[in-house]
């Protein structure tokens, strides 16, 4: 068996010395695969779904893909195996040859070992298309099951999730995380610093403020807060969901809203209606995993913002002790130097480039005078 494999490798080394082999699959999803061979060994593989853009002929599709794939590349193979002869093949060969600085040949193998590696590339393209199709089907099924559990008319496409983060009464913040299907849509994430709750933390009032601000933006046609989600998920139990529903009704909006109830391991074990009815999700692993992912991402985003604000207080507390450094000068210094450590290590000349001479002198004297 080893001798046969060794002999086979030598054969491929002769036919695939420096070669790209293209495979194409045209089905419900279209995919191309490129196998990179050097001295008969497979050194790389790329496979990607693509939109055919109305082209139906395999040769036309190959021609368009080749131009897109190799355009701008200087390191090109000496041979490219294709499953169909393309129009103006000689012209494209000449273009690629000039681009690479060496001869690039486009071939359409019909038999033998070259045809075998071509069939292998086609199989790679088909398998990748089927794999991704299967993955999307699983996602669609999960969302469909979630929609049925929640009593929605159809599977939710857009979901928003909210969480409150605080340590005591200082820097109470909220996160708004958005999922498009099963994937986070990070360009739609928003975060809020609670303004109306003072003295002690109050999750219910904080949630009411956040959703009031979010829906006010929507009513004012703020594009950053449009469209409304198909469902809102609130980190907390029934009372959190009731607060959210009350805010939505105040705006005259009918949004399905559910609380995320956690177990003793801080995982969402169920969803709850504002009226207290719980919906178990643990018996459906795919839905359980998706809701868990949303809850964890929402919590992470809130904690991250809260820590940033806390770090800001730490950074400014030292600067607050320096006579003559007010809010404006402090912000100028932090904006320029980024950290207190960098400010401490700055020379007097560097400080004077950012703030007035007297402020620069005060900062320099404070740090260089041995103050801790």
């Amino acid at each position: 068996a080893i001798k046969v494999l060794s002999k086979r490798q030598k054969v491929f080394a002769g036919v695939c010395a420096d070669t790209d082999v293209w495979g194409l699959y045209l089905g419900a999803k279209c995919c191309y695969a490129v196998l990179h061979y050097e001295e008969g060994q497979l050194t790389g593989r790329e496979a990607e779904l693509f939109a055919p853009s109305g082209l139906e002929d395999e040769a036309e599709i190959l021609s368009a893909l080749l131009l897109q794939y190799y355009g701008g590349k200087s390191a090109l193979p000496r041979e490219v195996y294709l499953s169909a002869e393309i129009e103006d093949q000689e012209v494209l060969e000449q273009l690629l040859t000039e681009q690479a600085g060496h001869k690039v040949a486009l071939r359409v193998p019909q038999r033998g070992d070259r045809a075998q590696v071509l069939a292998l590339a086609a199989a790679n393209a088909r398998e990748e298309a089927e794999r991704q199709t299967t993955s999307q089907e699983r996602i669609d099924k999960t969302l469909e099951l979630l929609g049925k559990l929640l009593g929605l008319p159809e599977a939710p496409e857009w979901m928003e999730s909210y969480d409150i983060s605080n340590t005591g009464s200082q820097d109470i913040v909220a996160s708004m995380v958005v999922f498009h299907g099963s994937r986070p849509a990070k360009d739609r994430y928003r975060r809020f610093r609670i303004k109306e709750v003072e003295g002690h933390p109050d999750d219910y009032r904080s949630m009411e403020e956040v959703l009031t601000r979010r829906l006010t933006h929507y009513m004012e046609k703020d594009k950053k807060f449009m469209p409304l989600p198909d469902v809102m998920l609130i980190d907390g139990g029934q009372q959190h969901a009731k607060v959210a529903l009350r805010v939505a009704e105040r705006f005259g909006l009918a949004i399905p809203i559910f609380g995320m109830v956690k177990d003793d391991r801080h995982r969402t074990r169920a969803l709850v209606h504002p009226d207290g009815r719980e919906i178990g999700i643990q018996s459906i692993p795919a839905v359980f995993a998706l809701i868990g992912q949303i809850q964890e991402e929402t919590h992470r985003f809130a904690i991250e913002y809260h820590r940033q604000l806390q770090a800001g207080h730490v950074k400014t507390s030292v600067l607050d002790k320096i006579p003559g450094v007010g809010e404006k000068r402090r912000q100028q210094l932090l904006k320029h130097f980024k950290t207190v450590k960098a400010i401490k290590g700055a020379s007097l000349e560097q400080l004077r480039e950012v703030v007035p001479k007297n402020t620069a002198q005060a900062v320099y004297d404070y740090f260089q005078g041995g103050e801790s």
Side-chain angles (χ1 to χ4, degrees), residues 18-22 34-37 69-70 77 79-82:
D18 182 11
T19 307
D20 279 0
V21 184
W22 278 72
V34 184
L35 307 183
H36 307 282
Y37 284 91
Y69 184 81
Y70 290 118
E79 288 187 313
V80 178
Y81 293 171
L82 306 173

Side-chain angles (χ1 to χ4, degrees), residues 177-206:
V177 160
V178 183
F179 269 62
H180 187 204
S182 67
R183 300 179 66 84
K186 295 193 176 184
D187 60 319
R188 292 175 177 262
Y189 284 18
R190 299 290 179 264
R191 55 192 189 181
F192 304 83
R193 190 168 182 175
I194 303 303
K195 302 176 180 178
E196 299 176 3
V197 178
E198 297 179 356
H200 59 87
D202 187 328
D203 278 6
Y204 302 138
R205 284 180 58 199
S206 298

Side-chain angles (χ1 to χ4, degrees), residues 213-250:
R213 288 162 62 182
R214 185 261 179 270
L215 295 178
T216 297
H217 282 296
Y218 169 77
M219 300 299 287
E220 293 175 349
K221 308 298 183 184
D222 186 339
K223 292 182 180 179
K224 294 180 180 179
F225 290 85
M226 299 177 73
L228 287 176
D230 299 309
V231 63
M232 279 185 176
L233 301 173
I234 311 299
D235 192 272
Q238 177 193 0
Q239 293 303 317
H240 290 83
K242 283 180 68 175
V243 169
L245 180 63
R246 185 167 66 242
V247 174
E249 289 176 341
R250 194 163 67 230

Side-chain angles (χ1 to χ4, degrees), residues 69-107:
Y69 184 81
Y70 290 118
K73 290 185 177 180
S74 56
L76 301 182
R78 295 187 179 275
E79 288 187 313
V80 178
Y81 293 171
L82 306 173
S83 56
E85 189 169 338
I86 64 176
E87 188 177 354
D88 297 328
Q89 185 162 312
E90 292 182 0
V91 175
L92 182 55
E93 279 186 339
Q94 182 62 34
L95 180 65
L96 295 178
T97 295
E98 293 175 359
Q99 184 175 317
H102 60 72
K103 175 67 176 175
V104 178
L106 304 182
R107 305 186 188 281

Side-chain angles (χ1 to χ4, degrees), residues 190-332:
R190 299 290 179 264
R191 55 192 189 181
F192 304 83
R193 190 168 182 175
I194 303 303
K195 302 176 180 178
E196 299 176 3
V197 178
E198 297 179 356
H200 59 87
D202 187 328
D203 278 6
Y204 302 138
R205 284 180 58 199
S206 298
M207 189 62 68
E208 181 176 6
E209 177 185 335
V210 168
L211 291 177
T212 298
R213 288 162 62 182
R214 185 261 179 270
L215 295 178
T216 297
H217 282 296
Y218 169 77
M219 300 299 287
E220 293 175 349
K221 308 298 183 184
D222 186 339
K223 292 182 180 179
K224 294 180 180 179
F225 290 85
M226 299 177 73
L228 287 176
D230 299 309
V231 63
M232 279 185 176
L233 301 173
I234 311 299
D235 192 272
Q238 177 193 0
Q239 293 303 317
H240 290 83
K242 283 180 68 175
V243 169
L245 180 63
R246 185 167 66 242
V247 174
E249 289 176 341
R250 194 163 67 230
F251 283 88
L253 300 171
I255 306 171
I257 295 173
F258 302 88
M260 294 187 288
V261 184
K262 300 186 187 70
D263 60 16
D264 53 5
R265 296 173 63 184
H266 204 70
R267 299 176 306 176
T268 300
R269 64 170 178 80
L271 299 176
V272 60
H273 286 271
D275 61 13
R277 287 177 293 137
E278 282 198 7
I279 304 168
I281 59 174
Q282 290 178 311
S283 60
I284 307 176
V287 173
F288 180 66
L290 175 59
I291 296 300
Q293 180 188 0
I294 294 172
Q295 184 255 323
E296 288 176 6
E297 176 67 359
T298 309
H299 185 65
R300 178 201 66 78
F301 193 54
I303 289 293
E304 182 182 88
Y305 184 35
H306 184 261
R307 286 173 177 167
Q308 287 177 5
L309 294 179
Q310 288 290 304
H313 283 310
V314 173
K315 287 177 182 177
T316 57
S317 62
V318 176
L319 300 179
D320 286 339
K321 298 178 182 179
I322 305 175
V325 179
E327 176 68 21
K328 181 179 178 181
R329 302 305 181 207
R330 186 172 63 230
Q331 292 300 324
Q332 286 176 326

Side-chain angles (χ1 to χ4, degrees), residues 9 12-13 16-19 35-44:
Q9 188 64 50
F12 278 121
C16 295
D18 182 11
T19 307
L35 307 183
H36 307 282
Y37 284 91
E38 292 181 13
E39 299 302 328
Q41 294 188 13
L42 181 64
T43 59

